[in-house]
Amino acid sequence: MERENPYLRYSRIHQLMEWKRYKEAMDEAMALIREEPEDADAYAMLGQVCLRLDKREEALHWSQEALRRDPDNRIAWFVRTVAYYESENWKALDEALDNAQRVDPYEPQYYFLRANACNRRSKYADARDLLLTGLELSPQNALFLAALSYTEALLGNRSASKTYASEALRQDVESDHVYLYLGWAAERRNDYDDQLLMLKNAIRLDPENKQIREAYLESLQKSYKFYRILLAPTNVLKRLKPWQVLLSWFIAVLLFRPLIIVFIVLYVLTHWATKWLVHVKVFGWPWSRFKR
């Protein structure tokens, strides 16, 4: 019996992943590996399926099998960069990105991953430059624009952040992660109403995403005005450099110690009270589950 063209199989595996039929995609990739045990792309595709299933260790294993057969396999390096990013293994991510960009220097997603890693390290200007380079390769990428809106907000550039947010929504209004980044950007701008709106849209599109659920619940907390008032000093501190924050706290403790203690107590009580109110609002009263 004549074997089917592997490229048709790759296309089918990719389509099954797009339909979120991951079990079938995995079976198809495994069958291809049995038929073509030295086909590096087959192992890399299997790694990509594992990645979609949040099986990062398996994704890394199969991508490594692909690289054993083809050290410059483009798909395998892509899988490894995403797996390391999602597991927050920043050192391994840097090394994988160096190799991935050597193999495929025009893949815009790598600039996005590097930018996010820079933001986590508080290198906001570097992140902005990387996202702008990514947008040169993919000019209408709504996710990159949303990430740029967030980065500009981190830099304190409120107007630029809003501009990029509007452009991101003009390009795509059906992406949960676009709304997630725009929600983060709105929070950094202290625009809590917009934050809640963005995250409502995000959770509508993907209610099972843990990261989105947590961000949405936090935004509901900030819908309470008294909590927002207590957040005002922390919003000021966000705009200061680390040494300025330390100096401000030292002066405040030295001159206003009783008030600082009262503020901290109020903040803690309000934080947990609003957290409880949000829980009741979203999930109902804790004892309602025992009612018949």
Side-chain angles (χ1 to χ4, degrees):
M1 182 176 178
E2 186 178 352
R3 289 184 179 178
E4 188 177 0
N5 188 322
Y7 292 102
L8 294 177
R9 304 284 286 275
Y10 302 148
S11 179
R12 186 154 62 240
I13 293 168
H14 180 75
Q15 186 62 69
L16 288 168
M17 284 193 289
E18 291 300 305
W19 290 335
K20 298 185 179 181
R21 289 159 58 178
Y22 301 124
K23 176 63 169 59
E24 294 174 57
M26 183 174 286
D27 291 343
E28 191 77 30
M30 290 295 292
L32 183 55
I33 287 172
R34 285 192 295 270
E35 292 175 15
E36 303 286 347
E38 295 305 313
D39 185 347
D41 283 343
Y43 291 94
M45 291 290 284
L46 180 55
Q48 202 167 22
V49 178
C50 292
L51 201 58
R52 295 286 187 97
L53 292 168
D54 292 328
K55 297 180 178 180
R56 299 185 190 103
E57 290 302 319
E58 291 183 38
L60 288 169
H61 167 75
W62 292 116
S63 64
Q64 187 60 44
E65 288 297 313
L67 292 172
R68 281 181 57 235
R69 292 160 175 82
D70 176 13
D72 290 339
N73 188 276
R74 181 179 56 82
I75 301 171
W77 280 117
F78 185 88
V79 169
R80 293 183 79 76
T81 59
V82 176
Y84 286 135
Y85 174 79
E86 291 182 349
S87 59
E88 300 185 1
N89 188 340
W90 307 120
K91 183 178 179 181
L93 174 64
D94 287 339
E95 294 175 0
L97 281 169
D98 288 341
N99 280 292
Q101 291 191 293
R102 172 181 57 80
V103 171
D104 189 3
Y106 300 110
E107 171 53 60
Q109 187 72 10
Y110 296 143
Y111 292 96
F112 173 75
L113 296 179
R114 281 196 189 275
N116 283 336
C118 284
N119 276 336
R120 286 179 174 271
R121 296 164 179 157
S122 300
K123 296 180 178 179
Y124 307 136
D126 291 342
R128 176 174 57 188
D129 291 342
L130 287 162
L131 286 167
L132 288 171
T133 302
L135 282 165
E136 289 177 7
L137 297 169
S138 182
Q140 297 179 327
N141 192 309
L143 183 58
F144 291 9
L145 289 163
L148 190 53
S149 172
Y150 174 53
T151 302
E152 291 288 8
L154 290 170
L155 286 164
N157 300 328
R158 184 182 178 90
S159 178
S161 176
K162 284 189 168 186
T163 298
Y164 285 122
S166 298
E167 181 60 22
L169 291 175
R170 195 174 72 82
Q171 297 296 338
D172 191 349
V173 293
E174 292 298 328
S175 169
D176 54 323
H177 275 79
V178 166
Y179 284 117
L180 177 61
Y181 274 88
L182 294 181
W184 289 341
E187 180 191 20
R188 293 298 303 195
R189 298 193 306 266
N190 303 326
D191 190 346
Y192 299 122
D193 291 333
D194 193 42
Q195 177 195 11
L196 182 58
L197 176 62
M198 294 299 106
L199 293 172
K200 274 183 178 179
N201 283 313
I203 203 164
R204 172 181 59 82
L205 291 166
D206 190 358
E208 302 303 318
N209 186 297
K210 181 181 177 182
Q211 187 180 33
I212 290 174
R213 286 204 311 270
E214 290 176 353
Y216 175 62
L217 292 175
E218 287 178 10
S219 71
L220 285 174
Q221 268 189 276
K222 292 170 183 174
S223 66
Y224 293 95
K225 289 186 178 179
F226 187 64
Y227 188 44
R228 291 187 188 182
I229 292 170
L230 291 176
L231 284 173
T234 62
N235 293 331
V236 173
L237 292 175
K238 286 178 186 177
R239 297 193 288 269
L240 301 179
K241 295 178 180 179
W243 69 268
Q244 293 173 320
V245 173
L246 289 173
L247 182 61
S248 299
W249 272 109
F250 177 76
I251 294 172
V253 170
L254 192 65
L255 299 178
F256 310 106
R257 184 176 298 178
L259 291 176
I260 293 294
I261 294 171
V262 171
F263 172 80
I264 291 172
V265 171
L266 278 175
Y267 176 82
V268 171
L269 289 175
T270 304
H271 172 81
W272 287 106
T274 53
K275 196 176 186 71
W276 181 78
L277 288 170
V278 166
H279 184 87
V280 171
K281 182 177 182 180
V282 175
F283 302 107
W285 293 95
W287 53 81
S288 62
R289 72 189 73 172
F290 300 110
K291 294 182 179 179
R292 292 186 178 180

